[in-house]
Amino acid sequence: MKASQFLISTLKEAPSDAEVVSHQLMTRAGMIKKLGAGIYSYMPMGLRVIRKVEAIVREEMNRAGAIEVAMPVVQPAELWQETGRFDKMGPELLRIKDRHERDYVVQPTSEEVVTDIARQEFRSYKQLPKNLYQIQTKFRDERRPRFGLMRGREFTMKDAYSFDRDQDAAKASYQVMAQAYRKIFDRFGLTYRAVAADSGAIGGDLSEEFQVIAATGEDAIVYCPDSDYAANMEKAEALAPQAPRKDASLALVKTLTPGKSTCADVAEYLQLPLQNSVKSLVLATEQTNEQGEIVKTQVWLLLLRGDHSMNEIKVGKVPGLDNGFRFATLEEIDAHFGCLPGYLGPVQTKLPVKLVVDREVAVMSDWVCGANEADYHYTGANWGRDLPEPDLIADLRNIVEGDPSPDGKGLLAIERGIEIGHVFYLGTKYSRAMNATFLDVNGKPQFMEMGCYGIGITRLPAAAIEQNHDARGIIWPDALAPFTVVVCPISPDRSPDVKAAADKLYAELLAAGVDVILDDRGERPGAMFADWELIGVPHRVTVGDKGLKDGQVEYQHRRDAAATKVAVAEVFAFVQSRLGASTGV
Amino acid sequence: MKASQFLISTLKEAPSDAEVVSHQLMTRAGMIKKLGAGIYSYMPMGLRVIRKVEAIVREEMNRAGAIEVAMPVVQPAELWQETGRFDKMGPELLRIKDRHERDYVVQPTSEEVVTDIARQEFRSYKQLPKNLYQIQTKFRDERRPRFGLMRGREFTMKDAYSFDRDQDAAKASYQVMAQAYRKIFDRFGLTYRAVAADSGAIGGDLSEEFQVIAATGEDAIVYCPDSDYAANMEKAEALAPQAPRKDASLALVKTLTPGKSTCADVAEYLQLPLQNSVKSLVLATEQTNEQGEIVKTQVWLLLLRGDHSMNEIKVGKVPGLDNGFRFATLEEIDAHFGCLPGYLGPVQTKLPVKLVVDREVAVMSDWVCGANEADYHYTGANWGRDLPEPDLIADLRNIVEGDPSPDGKGLLAIERGIEIGHVFYLGTKYSRAMNATFLDVNGKPQFMEMGCYGIGITRLPAAAIEQNHDARGIIWPDALAPFTVVVCPISPDRSPDVKAAADKLYAELLAAGVDVILDDRGERPGAMFADWELIGVPHRVTVGDKGLKDGQVEYQHRRDAAATKVAVAEVFAFVQSRLGASTGV
């Protein structure tokens, strides 16, 4: 490609609404152009990156035996009504009425349509396993679209769906995808982690997120530097407490803690470690009759160590809380504790509450908690002696840096990530809802076992930039770069030798299948270099009059601090060797 | 590809709503699956064809200097309001409200968005010309979607838009596209014609449709077998009448024609050639004031030869009719002619009407027309003698087979076509509406000159099938086939030799870059052949035990009546030579 025949459009300033660096740099580098909130045109420079993402994803999906289809962007509501998602999904599902006032949606994902295809196509166990995927435009009407391609409304996703005859086969299909994803993200040259994620109501371990590591990532991910344990914050667990509970050594004392309503304030005021204090959280669950009227409300008290925070996903799995819960109202709290939040505790509640205690709290002794009286806390509280043992003990908390890894192999660390892929075992959730059956070996209908597998095609370049940039701009891995090499002649209009040498190198690289661009725009060197550093082309060769007189040109990788002089005769081979060398980067 | 790892799904019967052969065959061959009215999933076999269309279009667009972008499918209404199309377009524009009740459309085309990009990006004449294109999902909410991919609601279109500094440059850009389109359709191996089309209000000749010739085509296209004249029916003209009008030779006679209200009936009843009769059409135009109230209605009488039909596009260009017209009401007709349709004529109307006459009618003498009295016609009517010369003479009619070509080089013929592409000079229609200007050489702002260029990506395979099929199924040109070659082993499970020979040929073709599929499904020969003939793979090699014993396999092109025996040792080269031979087909 010659730059004069392409659309290069760089900006000095990022738009004011660009909060994250990838949004700023993609806009400044002329890769995307905002059309509306969360809606972008992919400009030529950006589209080249997206096409490279698509090509690698497609290649590895095909290699893994998945078969490409394309499902409609605009989908009739009927199938979405079959699974109930037409009503259940919130306003992020973009609903449309056509000219005949019939309901449609713009697809945010395609479980319904692909399951409809499967129930028509896969009649026999002999036709399974099958994995159908598409790379297609999606829309999610986010309440607050932002961060450019990171959380847009219209985006491109690769979504794959596996269909299997039983759970074992489905798990094998899942593993094939999980492996393919590793190959894909390896090829992109990104630093990423596959982390265990919550698998919802289905349970089991068959849910992993692929997270690109970046300090600016929205997600906290937990890993063990000494083992391969990795999970997202929702899912991550610490090793259960190993040491038994110590015996009580202090008496229960009601202590004045005036105006100290947080564990941290109380610990500081009493000069005790925060880890000695216990945090009280009050939840409520409701039982309804067939008319939907509330017939019973149960109040729950959850205890966490003062330095820990509640993990809603884990709490949502506690028996009795697993059908939905809410925080208790002030009235409910007052009725049960005779006190308002800030001084609540499990000792001597006014009305009985269901007591659920984090594993760490269950092994504490001599702890501090609210005394159910304003401005008072207990110190020296102990299980068994001062109050009965808890009703339930469970893992209720988010892990913190330094917690022991659940595999016992070291201490957990936390880093930030950007989710770019997800593999998920669905079980029969959709096949049951849509009656997608096949005939098994015995001729009996069985629900298909499904999995779903997504990659955020348009989000991935943004994640790559969050991970790979500097003050001058983007630094693309070779596999994602809009162009792998840029040849920059200096003032070619004034030096026929420069022009000839640049043209020759360009032609050679092009002929060798290298994705090269020749900057023939006639820009001055400073502006030209600034453009390519902003755009992030990884390999640059500069051809100048001065160097040429010594038979030399300059090579510089985007990460190099300075240029390397290379003999003109050797530059083609030199560049090729650098491309080879950096494929794994 | 091995068939066992792909999704092959053929049907014996076409769905009852499939009216045209391409819809029937694409459904039966498992290429598309209907999801809703005019909305289809592209199944793996069909998607392969579509991807081939896209690849060729993309390659030639790039070669012609166009630059690929991708504009959003869901577009904010604001830009569409700037050009007025948000209100002006009918219900075929799918309108949406998002969660904040803001208006959006699902793009049916992208003039607004691309012009918005251009006005931001192209500030100087130095940046022009530019041509931006996309291959993107479109939606048109057709009232009556039908014919499968031929007239769907959701479809894929390649739409390109050129931006130029002046008309000459715009015309050059147009020609580059027109040439690229020829290359594209040549590469598809389809029989097509580029035909002149109406260019609307802009005028000039810069509008051409690319029509795939097929007996089932919706469009009538006109061409001269002896020259390169070709136009669609809307646009096609015959040579203006060359012979002068003959003198009157008959007297004007009011003749009883009881119940004969059509020209054909009257001609038959009077035993006169239909070409001697004149057809009367009554139109009306309205003048409104600023409040939109009708202040004046003008009634027009159009005369056509009895064997001719009105061309609305041509009539719409007659001065006075070019701001819109309608057919007159019965009341208006009665008021002006004192008679109802069937017996109308230009001689002695009750109230004056504006008389517009087709060129052919203007040179007639001794003609037949209605006498403005029920059951009566005039014979022997003549211009000048029986009524004044017409107010206006114009080309008002559709041409008929055998009309002289406008280039004087022979007689016109008519065939049916399916429009798959359109190149169109837009002028400054959109740039003016959206104030898309650039600074010219003198630093003065000028509106950009635009052109737009479409190819129906998903319609093209349907058109190809309408042109290329037989009783057994589709016959793909090599360039469009989902697979170019199929290797069919007969009972490979019973003959290791057959399996080995088929596997070897498959591997060789694959290694040579041929798009080959090996049918390893274990189907019986009859079913296997029927599948591939339905699917339309152009080249088939059958490997059977009997032939192998003589060192032979069978090759059959989809158009061949019978198979050709080929020595096993030569079959790879033989197939390759057939591929080479048929690239131009």
Side-chain angles (χ1 to χ4, degrees):
Chain A
M1 180 65 72
K2 292 186 178 178
S4 61
Q5 286 159 25
F6 196 62
L7 184 52
I8 294 167
S9 172
T10 56
L11 295 171
K12 289 249 184 300
E13 300 288 333
S16 57
D17 70 338
E19 300 170 52
V20 296
V21 71
S22 58
H23 187 188
Q24 291 161 4
L25 291 177
M26 290 192 90
T27 306
R28 287 187 52 210
M31 297 198 171
I32 57 175
K33 188 179 280 295
K34 186 173 175 175
L35 181 63
I39 299 180
Y40 295 86
S41 291
Y42 307 128
M43 298 296 286
M45 194 68 80
L47 189 60
R48 288 183 74 93
V49 177
I50 290 165
R51 293 274 184 255
K52 291 194 178 185
V53 176
E54 289 178 355
I56 287 177
V57 169
R58 183 172 282 127
E59 211 175 292
E60 293 299 337
M61 290 301 293
N62 291 346
R63 195 168 288 171
I67 308 172
E68 190 174 4
V69 299
M71 291 176 275
V73 174
V74 176
Q75 304 184 345
E78 283 81 359
L79 293 176
W80 288 77
Q81 283 156 345
E82 264 191 70
T83 61
R85 291 211 292 178
F86 187 76
D87 298 316
K88 261 184 271 174
M89 277 187 81
E92 70 273 14
L93 180 65
L94 189 63
R95 295 164 172 89
I96 316 178
K97 284 193 187 291
D98 76 353
R99 65 191 292 157
H100 302 299
E101 293 291 311
R102 290 200 196 96
D103 287 315
Y104 290 80
V105 306
V106 179
Q107 67 159 343
T109 168
S110 269
E111 279 84 359
E112 281 79 359
V113 174
V114 80
T115 306
D116 180 54
I117 289 174
R119 69 182 169 184
Q120 293 175 64
E121 290 294 326
F122 309 145
R123 308 293 185 92
S124 156
Y125 71 95
K126 291 181 197 159
Q127 291 173 279
L128 301 177
K130 280 284 187 301
N131 184 326
L132 300 179
Y133 79 97
Q134 65 175 348
I135 296 176
Q136 197 35 320
T137 303
K138 306 283 190 303
F139 199 95
R140 278 191 200 151
D141 199 358
E142 299 270 355
R143 176 199 294 271
R144 204 184 145 204
R146 55 192 173 148
F147 303 157
L149 299 194
M150 202 82 88
R151 190 165 290 283
R153 295 200 288 171
E154 184 168 318
F155 56 98
T156 303
M157 191 164 88
K158 186 284 295 172
D159 43 332
Y161 306 89
S162 62
F163 297 89
D164 279 282
R165 57 164 96 173
D166 57 31
Q167 282 195 15
D168 285 347
K171 285 171 186 175
S173 292
Y174 173 95
Q175 294 303 344
V176 167
M177 279 295 105
Q179 266 319 104
Y181 272 42
R182 283 178 169 77
K183 275 194 210 162
I184 288 168
F185 297 121
D186 284 345
R187 285 184 65 182
F188 287 141
L190 298 174
T191 304
Y192 70 94
R193 263 182 218 283
V195 306
D198 182 55
S199 50
I202 291 157
D205 291 327
L206 296 180
S207 172
E208 283 162 278
E209 289 170 0
F210 288 78
Q211 295 266 2
V212 166
I213 305 307
T216 52
E218 278 193 301
D219 298 338
I221 61 183
V222 176
Y223 69 103
C224 177
D226 302 317
S227 75
D228 60 1
Y229 180 78
N232 67 11
M233 186 54 86
E234 290 179 346
K235 171 83 176 173
E237 293 175 27
L239 195 67
Q242 302 294 301
R245 188 197 294 164
K246 287 191 186 146
D247 291 337
S249 67
L250 300 175
L252 183 73
V253 176
K254 189 159 136 189
T255 310
L256 184 67
T257 51
K260 308 300 175 192
S261 62
T262 68
C263 287
D265 288 348
V266 170
E268 198 193 347
Y269 181 74
L270 299 178
Q271 305 249 345
L272 289 169
L274 184 54
Q275 290 86 335
N276 284 19
S277 68
V278 161
K279 185 185 286 183
S280 295
L281 296 163
V282 190
L283 305 181
T285 54
E286 287 158 359
Q287 218 175 307
T288 52
N289 63 14
E290 282 177 11
Q291 284 74 47
E293 297 157 340
I294 297 164
V295 292
K296 195 186 161 198
T297 300
Q298 171 70 52
V299 169
W300 301 65
L301 176 61
L302 266 61
L303 298 187
L304 292 171
R305 213 169 71 185
D307 58 332
H308 287 158
S309 64
M310 178 173 111
N311 180 310
E312 282 200 39
I313 298 290
K314 292 178 181 176
V315 170
K317 292 187 174 173
V318 169
L321 294 171
D322 52 352
N323 282 316
F325 62 85
R326 57 172 172 81
F327 283 97
T329 63
L330 289 180
E331 289 71 29
E332 286 164 343
I333 291 172
D334 191 32
H336 287 75
F337 296 87
C339 172
L340 288 181
Y343 305 94
L344 305 180
V347 183
Q348 291 161 347
T349 60
K350 197 169 157 193
L351 289 178
V353 297
K354 198 110 171 157
L355 186 60
V356 186
V357 160
D358 184 64
R359 298 183 305 190
E360 298 287 347
V361 175
V363 296
M364 286 169 73
S365 53
D366 297 334
W367 34 279
V368 177
C369 66
N372 293 329
E373 186 178 335
D375 294 338
Y376 282 95
H377 279 79
Y378 283 121
T379 56
N382 280 281
W383 292 110
R385 188 190 72 182
D386 306 321
L387 74 170
E389 294 289 338
D391 296 319
L392 271 169
I393 298 169
D395 178 12
L396 304 177
R397 69 176 180 100
N398 290 319
I399 75 104
V400 292
E401 187 106 26
D403 272 332
S405 178
D407 55 14
K409 294 185 180 165
L411 302 183
L412 293 175
I414 297 177
E415 60 190 350
R416 310 296 301 178
I418 299 163
E419 186 188 344
I420 46 168
H422 198 161
V423 291
F424 196 93
Y425 166 60
L426 282 171
T428 56
K429 179 178 171 186
Y430 290 92
S431 54
R432 239 173 241 281
M434 296 182 64
N435 200 28
T437 61
F438 65 98
L439 296 182
D440 69 9
V441 192
N442 304 313
K444 279 172 66 177
Q446 303 286 354
F447 292 117
M448 297 180 203
E449 287 280 338
M450 290 173 58
C452 67
Y453 316 93
I455 291 179
I457 299 287
T458 43
R459 181 185 246 202
L460 197 132
I465 292 171
E466 293 292 336
Q467 187 178 84
N468 299 280
H469 66 271
D470 62 16
R472 288 171 295 154
I474 303 166
I475 308 173
W476 291 111
D478 281 15
L480 292 175
F483 297 96
T484 324
V485 180
V486 57
V487 176
C488 294
I490 308 283
S491 307
D493 48 329
R494 279 187 280 146
S495 164
D497 288 351
V498 165
K499 184 172 186 312
D503 286 354
K504 180 166 175 283
L505 177 61
Y506 169 68
E508 283 172 343
L509 289 167
L510 207 61
V514 175
D515 198 0
V516 58
I517 185 163
L518 173 71
D519 194 342
D520 60 344
R521 294 176 298 162
E523 294 281 340
R524 282 177 308 159
M528 179 162 63
F529 294 158
D531 273 354
W532 294 113
E533 288 172 351
L534 173 58
I535 293 164
V537 169
H539 307 273
R540 185 176 81 204
V541 178
T542 307
V543 183
D545 212 20
K546 219 153 80 182
L548 265 195
K549 281 189 183 127
D550 302 329
Q552 288 181 327
V553 297
E554 290 190 341
Y555 167 86
Q556 187 164 1
H557 188 274
R558 180 66 180 75
R559 290 193 189 276
D560 291 347
T564 305
K565 290 198 160 78
V566 183
V568 173
E570 285 158 28
V571 64
F572 172 67
F574 183 87
V575 170
Q576 284 219 311
S577 75
R578 289 304 307 257
L579 296 182
S582 66
T583 41
V585 174
Chain B
M1 180 66 71
K2 291 185 179 179
S4 61
Q5 288 158 23
F6 196 63
L7 184 52
I8 295 167
S9 171
T10 56
L11 295 171
K12 288 250 183 303
E13 300 290 333
S16 57
D17 70 339
E19 298 171 53
V20 296
V21 72
S22 58
H23 187 188
Q24 291 161 4
L25 290 177
M26 290 192 90
T27 306
R28 286 186 52 209
M31 297 195 171
I32 57 174
K33 187 177 284 293
K34 186 174 174 174
L35 181 62
I39 299 180
Y40 295 85
S41 292
Y42 306 129
M43 298 295 286
M45 193 68 81
L47 189 60
R48 288 184 74 92
V49 176
I50 290 166
R51 293 274 184 256
K52 292 195 176 185
V53 176
E54 289 178 354
I56 288 177
V57 169
R58 183 171 283 128
E59 210 175 293
E60 294 299 336
M61 290 302 292
N62 291 345
R63 194 168 290 170
I67 307 172
E68 190 173 4
V69 297
M71 291 175 275
V73 174
V74 175
Q75 304 184 345
E78 283 81 359
L79 293 177
W80 289 76
Q81 283 156 345
E82 264 191 69
T83 60
R85 291 211 293 178
F86 188 75
D87 297 315
K88 260 185 272 173
M89 277 186 79
E92 70 273 13
L93 180 65
L94 189 62
R95 295 163 174 89
I96 317 178
K97 284 193 189 291
D98 76 353
R99 65 190 293 156
H100 302 298
E101 292 292 309
R102 291 200 196 94
D103 287 314
Y104 290 80
V105 306
V106 180
Q107 66 159 343
T109 167
S110 268
E111 279 83 1
E112 280 79 358
V113 174
V114 80
T115 305
D116 179 54
I117 290 174
R119 69 182 168 183
Q120 294 176 62
E121 290 294 327
F122 309 144
R123 309 293 185 91
S124 155
Y125 71 95
K126 289 180 199 159
Q127 292 173 277
L128 302 178
K130 279 285 186 305
N131 185 325
L132 300 179
Y133 79 97
Q134 64 175 349
I135 296 177
Q136 198 33 323
T137 302
K138 306 283 192 301
F139 200 95
R140 279 190 200 152
D141 199 359
E142 300 268 355
R143 177 199 295 273
R144 205 185 144 205
R146 55 192 171 147
F147 304 156
L149 299 194
M150 203 82 90
R151 190 165 290 285
R153 295 200 289 171
E154 183 167 315
F155 56 97
T156 304
M157 190 163 89
K158 186 284 294 173
D159 42 333
Y161 306 89
S162 61
F163 297 89
D164 279 282
R165 58 164 93 174
D166 58 31
Q167 283 195 15
D168 284 348
K171 285 171 186 174
S173 293
Y174 173 96
Q175 293 305 342
V176 167
M177 279 294 106
Q179 266 319 104
Y181 272 42
R182 283 177 170 78
K183 275 195 211 160
I184 288 168
F185 297 120
D186 284 347
R187 285 185 64 183
F188 287 140
L190 298 175
T191 305
Y192 70 95
R193 261 182 219 284
V195 307
D198 182 55
S199 50
I202 292 157
D205 291 328
L206 296 181
S207 172
E208 283 162 276
E209 290 169 0
F210 288 78
Q211 296 265 2
V212 165
I213 305 307
T216 52
E218 278 193 300
D219 298 338
I221 61 182
V222 177
Y223 69 102
C224 177
D226 302 316
S227 76
D228 60 2
Y229 180 79
N232 67 10
M233 186 53 86
E234 289 179 346
K235 170 82 175 176
E237 294 175 25
L239 195 66
Q242 302 294 302
R245 188 197 292 163
K246 286 189 189 147
D247 291 338
S249 68
L250 300 174
L252 184 73
V253 177
K254 190 162 140 186
T255 310
L256 185 67
T257 52
K260 307 300 175 191
S261 61
T262 68
C263 286
D265 288 349
V266 171
E268 196 194 348
Y269 181 74
L270 299 177
Q271 304 251 340
L272 290 168
L274 183 55
Q275 289 85 336
N276 283 20
S277 68
V278 161
K279 184 186 287 182
S280 296
L281 295 164
V282 190
L283 304 182
T285 54
E286 287 158 357
Q287 218 176 304
T288 53
N289 63 13
E290 281 175 12
Q291 283 74 47
E293 298 157 338
I294 298 164
V295 293
K296 195 186 159 199
T297 301
Q298 171 70 52
V299 169
W300 302 65
L301 177 61
L302 267 59
L303 297 187
L304 293 171
R305 213 169 71 184
D307 57 333
H308 287 156
S309 63
M310 178 174 109
N311 180 310
E312 281 200 39
I313 297 290
K314 293 178 181 177
V315 170
K317 293 188 174 175
V318 169
L321 294 171
D322 52 352
N323 281 317
F325 62 84
R326 59 172 172 81
F327 283 96
T329 63
L330 288 180
E331 289 71 26
E332 287 164 341
I333 291 171
D334 191 33
H336 287 74
F337 296 87
C339 171
L340 288 180
Y343 305 93
L344 305 179
V347 182
Q348 291 162 347
T349 60
K350 199 168 156 193
L351 289 176
V353 296
K354 199 107 171 162
L355 187 59
V356 186
V357 160
D358 184 64
R359 298 183 306 190
E360 298 287 345
V361 174
V363 296
M364 286 170 73
S365 54
D366 296 337
W367 34 278
V368 177
C369 65
N372 293 329
E373 187 179 335
D375 293 338
Y376 281 94
H377 279 80
Y378 284 122
T379 56
N382 279 281
W383 292 109
R385 187 191 73 184
D386 306 321
L387 75 170
E389 294 289 339
D391 297 319
L392 271 169
I393 298 169
D395 179 11
L396 303 177
R397 69 175 179 98
N398 290 318
I399 76 101
V400 291
E401 187 106 25
D403 272 334
S405 178
D407 56 13
K409 292 184 181 166
L411 303 183
L412 294 175
I414 297 177
E415 61 191 349
R416 309 298 299 180
I418 299 163
E419 186 188 344
I420 46 167
H422 198 159
V423 290
F424 196 92
Y425 166 60
L426 282 170
T428 56
K429 180 179 171 185
Y430 290 93
S431 54
R432 238 174 241 280
M434 297 182 64
N435 199 30
T437 60
F438 64 97
L439 297 182
D440 69 9
V441 191
N442 303 313
K444 280 172 67 177
Q446 302 286 353
F447 292 116
M448 297 181 205
E449 287 280 338
M450 292 173 59
C452 67
Y453 316 94
I455 291 179
I457 299 286
T458 42
R459 182 185 245 201
L460 197 132
I465 293 171
E466 294 292 334
Q467 186 177 82
N468 299 282
H469 65 272
D470 63 16
R472 289 171 294 155
I474 303 166
I475 309 173
W476 290 111
D478 282 14
L480 292 175
F483 297 96
T484 324
V485 180
V486 57
V487 176
C488 294
I490 308 283
S491 308
D493 48 329
R494 278 186 281 146
S495 164
D497 289 351
V498 165
K499 183 169 186 314
D503 286 354
K504 180 165 177 284
L505 176 60
Y506 168 68
E508 284 172 342
L509 288 167
L510 207 60
V514 175
D515 198 0
V516 58
I517 185 163
L518 173 70
D519 193 342
D520 59 345
R521 294 175 299 162
E523 294 281 338
R524 282 176 307 160
M528 179 163 61
F529 295 159
D531 274 353
W532 295 113
E533 288 172 350
L534 173 58
I535 293 164
V537 169
H539 306 272
R540 185 176 82 203
V541 178
T542 307
V543 183
D545 211 23
K546 219 153 83 182
L548 265 194
K549 283 188 180 126
D550 302 328
Q552 287 180 326
V553 298
E554 290 190 341
Y555 166 87
Q556 186 164 4
H557 188 275
R558 180 66 180 77
R559 290 194 188 277
D560 291 347
T564 306
K565 289 196 162 78
V566 182
V568 174
E570 286 159 28
V571 64
F572 172 66
F574 183 87
V575 170
Q576 283 219 312
S577 74
R578 289 304 307 257
L579 296 180
S582 66
T583 41
V585 174

